[in-house]
Amino acid sequence: MTSTSATADDDDYPKHISNLPYSTYSYLNTLDIILPRPYDRHDASKFWVVYIHGGAWRDPRKTKGGIYPAFNHLFPPYSQPEAAQHIAGIASLNYRLSPHPGFPPKPGDDDDAAARTARHPDHVNDIIDALRWLGSNWGVRNGGYILVGHSCGGTLALQVAMSDGEKWHRAGETVARKEDHKTPMPRAIVPVETITDIPAIISTHAQQPLYEEFVVAAFGKDQEVWKTVSPTSGSFGTEKSWKEGRLIVLAHSREDELVEWEQCDMMLNALKEQGWRERAANKDETENAGKRPEVTVVELEGKHDEVFWEKGGQLAKAIEVAVQVLASESSVSG
């Protein structure tokens, strides 16, 4: 099987395809693909899951490998949960990172510097490049996938929707970039333990300089930029921004010691102010399918990193909620 093929021709499943380059900016511009079964790119009944790791935009210890514990819960041996039947494949993305004082680039290594000196909008534009690559090479279609992100990965997922898949500009850049093709957009977004309001989280942790340190590394010192890039300032589910949007699953744990529950509440309130309907978790509401975009809150268990690593079942739980809602609505509309 070639690295960009959208078919598979043997019985060795699940199939793991690692380190596929989606752009040439750096060695971090790669992704992994997991196929649970033979993939038919013309089967519109199944959804892709695309995962974006966290790490405060800078931690090299957080990688695309963070999806594997959740995959093992989604596709356990010898059984296939209902949600798994509706997943076509999983893609997990790496992207360029901002400088981290504890993990400086190797001296004289230009490749390492290219991967580890990113600044907004490099991170989100890398995600957009990856989504376009998946659309061109693997048939990931517009409205045909769920975009999942942990911590700042969830911020990045929401930022993709904020710009409707267009590349972001650098602060002070006034000339619009000419986009040569459209980004396939997700049907649902699942932000997990996500930073949704950057000024608020810095204010909450004013006695912990680490927070402002990683924000400045990623976005610079301009506090207006912090506000502009925050998902709570975005517009979602309109004709001008993410019109394909059907569902946002805000997944958070009250045990999170790094990103407080209030970040989830602020995003919920921002969406409701824009007309999003709050959907009760674990409740069949198929009678409301397609009427209004919906947001649901899923309470997880565990500390910040536990939900995707030691307790990968918690990340899987959030993904399953999105898959089940979209699958039920597809069956109603079909």
Side-chain angles (χ1 to χ4, degrees):
M1 177 177 178
T2 62
S3 64
T4 58
S5 172
T7 60
D9 54 8
D10 60 53
D11 296 326
D12 185 18
Y13 288 93
K15 186 178 295 294
H16 299 257
I17 310 168
S18 300
N19 297 320
L20 300 177
Y22 62 79
S23 77
T24 59
Y25 287 117
S26 79
Y27 65 78
L28 284 178
N29 293 95
T30 61
L31 57 83
D32 291 355
I33 283 177
I34 312 172
L35 299 177
R37 65 184 70 82
Y39 170 49
D40 178 2
R41 66 186 297 161
H42 302 295
D43 182 0
S45 68
K46 295 181 176 62
F47 295 91
W48 276 81
V49 173
V50 180
Y51 177 73
I52 309 169
H53 70 79
W57 294 276
R58 68 177 189 172
D59 190 341
R61 296 168 296 183
K62 305 295 189 295
T63 72
K64 54 187 169 59
I67 191 61
Y68 286 96
F71 175 82
N72 293 333
H73 285 272
L74 290 167
F75 295 92
Y78 314 115
S79 66
Q80 188 175 63
E82 181 181 353
Q85 300 174 30
H86 302 286
I87 297 176
I90 295 177
S92 190
L93 317 179
N94 273 350
Y95 52 91
R96 286 173 291 171
L97 303 175
S98 293
H100 192 309
F103 303 94
K106 299 173 185 176
D109 190 330
D110 292 342
D111 291 338
D112 205 32
R116 306 267 293 283
T117 57
R119 186 163 170 175
H120 177 77
D122 296 336
H123 322 89
V124 65
N125 286 347
D126 281 354
I127 302 305
I128 290 169
D129 280 339
L131 295 173
R132 292 176 176 180
W133 187 90
L134 286 167
S136 297
N137 291 277
W138 284 83
V140 175
R141 67 189 188 283
N142 197 49
Y145 69 97
I146 299 165
L147 189 57
V148 183
H150 177 258
S151 194
C152 74
T155 315
L156 292 167
L158 291 166
Q159 287 173 337
V160 170
M162 288 168 68
S163 70
D164 200 33
E166 297 294 318
K167 292 288 188 72
W168 284 66
H169 300 168
R170 295 193 182 278
E173 187 172 301
T174 58
V175 179
R177 297 179 180 181
K178 184 178 179 180
E179 297 282 63
D180 55 2
H181 61 284
K182 179 70 174 172
T183 306
M185 295 298 287
R187 184 71 167 165
I189 296 178
V190 183
V192 181
E193 312 278 271
T194 288
I195 299 172
T196 65
D197 191 307
I198 292 172
I201 201 169
I202 289 179
S203 177
T204 299
H205 298 272
Q207 302 305 313
Q208 298 170 279
L210 172 68
Y211 283 79
E212 185 167 347
E213 178 186 287
F214 70 68
V215 167
V216 169
F219 298 99
K221 296 181 179 180
D222 189 337
Q223 295 186 23
E224 284 301 312
V225 172
W226 301 353
K227 181 178 179 180
T228 300
V229 301
S230 293
T232 50
S233 298
S235 177
F236 298 90
T238 69
E239 283 300 313
K240 294 183 178 180
S241 177
W242 193 36
K243 60 181 177 293
E244 300 85 359
R246 179 68 194 90
L247 176 71
I248 292 179
V249 177
L250 298 173
H252 215 98
S253 169
R254 295 186 187 274
E255 302 171 53
D256 190 332
E257 79 285 15
L258 299 179
V259 180
E260 57 280 355
W261 183 272
E262 285 74 16
Q263 289 284 316
C264 177
D265 278 343
M266 285 186 284
M267 192 68 214
L268 174 63
N269 291 334
L271 291 168
K272 290 168 71 173
E273 288 175 3
Q274 295 179 35
W276 283 64
R277 176 180 178 275
E278 185 174 3
R279 178 190 183 102
N282 302 318
K283 183 179 179 181
D284 184 2
E285 297 194 11
T286 52
E287 69 273 11
N288 296 304
K291 294 181 180 179
R292 286 165 61 188
E294 294 180 326
V295 54
T296 188
V297 175
V298 175
E299 185 166 349
L300 306 179
E301 297 177 357
K303 294 184 178 181
H304 189 73
D305 287 347
E306 287 179 342
V307 300
F308 76 90
W309 199 246
E310 293 93 335
K311 297 184 178 181
Q314 295 297 296
L315 177 57
K317 174 183 174 181
I319 295 170
E320 286 173 341
V321 169
V323 172
Q324 289 167 351
V325 170
L326 297 187
S328 65
E329 293 185 353
S330 296
S331 66
V332 170
S333 61

